[in-house]
């Protein structure tokens, strides 16, 4: 198994094609996960979960499903705000072909821009996490992995290169995580060893999710940006800028106060579209597909804790759980109702890591050997990614 080194991480992070970069990031996470498991045994590490999260992110980066979903589930013609706009425009004698044209503008302009913004935000987040955390895993493997006996000084030396303080700017949680991974390599108490590994996963998860907050907000709020551009496109359609007659009509409507009714109708339509689109964006982004199941992140997990994690004893793990697990030792309310909320999101991830720690399905490759060969030649693979 190839182990991505620090130069590999830097090279991949610099790739300008976000689709190619994403598949290489996903494959690198898989390779790093397998290398870590060669020391820990077959239990999930942070890179194991990152493999499938990155693969899921690839769907948004490639814009595969979201625009089709929006077109299928957001029907402008059934909206009362749309009918109101048609009525107001018709009263002013400017409603000809507005129905068909506005539907096309929603699809080709509004939806397309929203999907582009989501793809950009997800790609930025995918790169941002990989070039920081993926790099630290590669550095950890190079610095500390080959030790047959615990060398605390070497581990501390490795950690010193990470920044003091809490995320998003500090890397204190990464320091703790890699220290726990390292100490777990040599822990003879099996219960404590497994809890240290879970603790390390959660510490990196907390750091990662804190760092990703701007990109997650940008993705989920993509519908609420660019409304001024869309409003201008509607106005320009109703009153073509190159037409003197349209210009005179618009001036007349403004002078008589009638334009305000039209503008209000446009704004109400845009507002309703934004809320509907936000709902569909949230539904699409709040999914995670594993090899054997598809999780809706808004739903409570339907699994029991592994027996070894029913009761936790590691002091540091218990302390962290009091901070990030809002329903201690229970899967109740594990579903995240608002993925933009860090506390809500981290609660789900905490339960996910705890429940799926020993799930062997997660250790499967993310891509076929042929796809891996293609991407490592610098080409985007064919087939289902």
């Amino acid at each position: 198994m190839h182990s991505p080194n620090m130069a590999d991480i830097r090279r991949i992070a610099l790739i300008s094609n976000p689709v190619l970069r994403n598949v290489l990031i996903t494959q690198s996470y898989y390779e790093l996960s397998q290398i870590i498991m060669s020391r820990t045994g077959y239990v999930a590490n942070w890179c194991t979960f990152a493999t499938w999260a990155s693969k899921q992110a690839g769907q948004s980066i490639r814009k595969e499903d979201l625009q089709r979903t929006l077109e299928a589930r957001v029907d402008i013609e059934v909206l009362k705000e749309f009918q109101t706009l048609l009525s107001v425009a018709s009263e002013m004698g400017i409603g000809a072909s507005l129905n068909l044209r506005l539907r096309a503008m929603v699809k080709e302009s509004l939806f397309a821009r929203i999907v582009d913004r989501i793809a950009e935000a997800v790609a930025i987040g995918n790169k941002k996490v990989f070039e920081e955390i993926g790099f630290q895993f590669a550095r950890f493997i190079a610095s500390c992995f080959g030790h047959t006996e615990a060398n605390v000084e070497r581990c501390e030396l490795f950690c010193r290169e990470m920044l003091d303080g809490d995320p998003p700017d500090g890397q204190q949680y990464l320091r703790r995580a890699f220290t726990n991974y390292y100490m777990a390599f040599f822990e003879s108490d099996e219960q404590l060893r497994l809890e240290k590994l879970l603790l390390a996963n959660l510490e990196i998860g907390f750091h990662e999710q804190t760092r990703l907050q701007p990109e997650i907000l940008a993705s989920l709020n993509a519908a609420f940006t660019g409304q001024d551009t869309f409003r201008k496109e509607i106005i320009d359609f109703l009153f073509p800028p190159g037409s003197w007659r349209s210009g005179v009509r618009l001036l007349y409507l403004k002078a008589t106060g009638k334009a305000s009714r039209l503008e209000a109708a446009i704004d109400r339509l845009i507002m309703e579209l934004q809320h509907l689109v936000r709902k569909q964006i949230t539904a699409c982004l709040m999914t995670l597909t594993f090899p054997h199941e598809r999780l809706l992140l808004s739903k409570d997990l339907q699994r029991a804790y592994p027996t070894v994690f029913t009761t936790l004893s590691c002091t540091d793990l218990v302390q962290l759980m009091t901070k990030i697990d809002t329903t201690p030792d229970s899967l109740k309310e594990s579903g995240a109702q608002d993925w933009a909320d860090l506390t809500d999101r981290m609660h789900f991830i905490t339960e996910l890591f705890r429940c799926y720690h020993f799930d062997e399905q997660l250790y499967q490759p993310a891509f076929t050997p042929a796809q891996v060969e293609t991407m490592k030649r610098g080409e985007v693979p064919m087939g289902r990614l």
Side-chain angles (χ1 to χ4, degrees):
M1 172 66 66
H2 172 70
S3 178
N5 58 37
M6 291 177 280
D8 292 329
I9 305 298
R10 290 193 184 99
R11 176 182 55 79
I12 292 169
L14 289 173
I15 292 172
S16 59
N17 181 335
V19 175
L20 176 61
R21 186 177 66 229
N22 166 258
V23 294
L24 285 167
I25 287 173
T26 303
Q27 176 62 21
S28 296
Y29 280 142
Y30 168 72
E31 293 168 352
L32 289 167
S33 171
Q34 294 294 303
I35 297 299
I36 296 296
M37 282 192 285
S38 71
R39 285 297 304 261
T40 65
Y42 281 94
V43 295
N45 53 72
W46 180 86
C47 291
T48 313
F49 293 103
T51 301
W52 302 105
S54 181
K55 188 176 176 73
Q56 186 75 43
Q59 292 189 18
S60 297
I61 292 169
R62 295 188 298 274
K63 311 175 191 178
E64 286 182 343
D65 298 321
L66 184 54
Q67 182 146 355
R68 287 194 296 271
T69 299
L70 293 178
E71 292 170 9
R73 298 183 182 177
V74 181
D75 186 354
I76 188 173
E77 281 197 278
V78 304
L79 301 180
K80 67 178 185 298
E81 292 83 3
F82 178 61
Q83 298 303 324
T84 298
L85 175 57
L86 290 182
S87 177
V88 172
S90 178
E91 290 174 16
M92 298 178 179
I94 53 176
S97 76
L98 179 58
N99 188 326
L100 293 176
R101 177 59 180 153
L102 192 51
R103 289 178 64 192
M105 289 169 63
V106 168
K107 174 181 174 181
E108 297 167 8
S109 178
L110 181 64
F111 288 174
R113 276 201 300 269
I114 288 170
V115 171
D116 285 346
R117 284 194 291 270
I118 291 171
E120 181 181 7
V122 173
I124 290 171
N126 190 227
K127 175 180 182 291
K128 177 180 182 178
V129 170
F130 179 70
E131 64 184 349
E132 180 190 19
I133 300 177
F135 181 81
Q136 295 300 340
F137 268 100
R139 196 169 69 85
F140 177 66
I141 291 168
S143 302
C144 303
F145 209 67
H147 300 177
T148 55
E149 295 182 357
N151 186 329
V152 177
E153 290 182 1
R154 285 285 299 277
C155 183
E156 289 176 349
L157 187 64
F158 162 79
C159 289
R160 255 181 238 142
E161 294 190 30
M162 289 180 271
L163 300 174
D164 291 332
D166 290 337
D169 299 319
Q171 296 176 308
Q172 186 65 37
Y173 278 88
L174 294 186
R175 285 183 175 181
R176 296 173 188 170
F178 284 105
T179 299
N180 281 311
Y181 279 137
Y182 184 78
M183 298 311 295
F185 292 166
F186 309 101
E187 180 57 62
S188 58
D189 183 321
E190 182 65 2
Q191 176 73 29
L192 185 56
R193 184 183 80 89
L194 293 171
E195 290 192 31
K196 282 184 176 291
L197 292 174
L198 175 60
L199 173 59
N201 293 346
L202 291 172
E203 286 168 331
I204 296 181
F206 181 74
H207 175 91
E208 168 213 16
Q209 291 302 313
T210 305
R211 291 267 291 150
L212 277 177
Q213 186 68 8
E215 287 73 32
I216 290 171
L217 285 173
S219 299
L220 291 173
N221 291 331
F224 295 98
T225 58
Q227 60 263 44
D228 291 341
T229 300
F230 187 58
R231 183 187 297 108
K232 184 177 184 303
E233 289 174 348
I234 296 175
I235 295 293
D236 286 349
F237 166 67
L238 297 174
F239 305 98
S243 167
W244 68 269
R245 288 185 178 180
S246 293
V248 170
R249 179 186 291 178
L250 180 58
L251 288 173
Y252 169 76
L253 291 173
K254 286 183 176 180
T256 58
K258 294 180 179 180
S260 60
R261 281 188 66 212
L262 183 65
E263 290 169 350
I266 292 171
D267 287 344
R268 284 194 294 271
L269 174 62
I270 291 173
M271 185 177 297
E272 180 61 18
L273 281 171
Q274 286 172 327
H275 285 289
L276 290 173
V277 169
R278 171 64 145 76
K279 183 177 180 180
Q280 295 304 323
I281 290 170
T282 302
C284 285
L285 294 182
M286 288 182 63
T287 61
L288 180 60
T289 303
F290 288 151
H292 56 316
E293 64 182 312
R294 182 172 180 265
L295 299 178
L296 298 178
L297 309 185
S298 61
K299 303 297 183 183
D300 290 359
L301 290 170
Q302 301 300 307
R303 283 204 173 192
Y305 295 134
T307 303
V308 70
F309 289 153
T310 302
T311 302
L312 303 174
S313 56
C314 174
T315 302
D316 290 341
L317 177 56
V318 172
Q319 288 178 349
L320 180 60
M321 283 292 191
T322 62
K323 180 175 183 177
I324 61 177
D325 186 355
T326 55
T327 56
D329 296 327
S330 169
L331 293 173
K332 181 182 178 182
E333 299 177 4
S334 55
Q337 296 309 303
D338 183 1
W339 199 245
D341 183 277
L342 176 60
T343 300
D344 209 11
R345 188 167 73 246
M346 198 62 216
H347 182 206
F348 178 87
I349 291 169
T350 298
E351 304 293 15
L352 177 74
F353 283 12
R354 189 172 178 179
C355 286
Y356 285 76
H357 195 79
F358 302 100
D359 193 323
E360 295 180 0
Q361 294 294 325
L362 303 187
Y363 314 151
Q364 293 185 31
F367 303 109
T368 67
Q371 288 175 325
V372 174
E373 183 180 348
T374 299
M375 70 178 71
K376 293 202 173 185
R377 290 200 307 266
E379 303 170 17
V380 176
M382 301 291 290
R384 185 177 179 84
L385 298 176

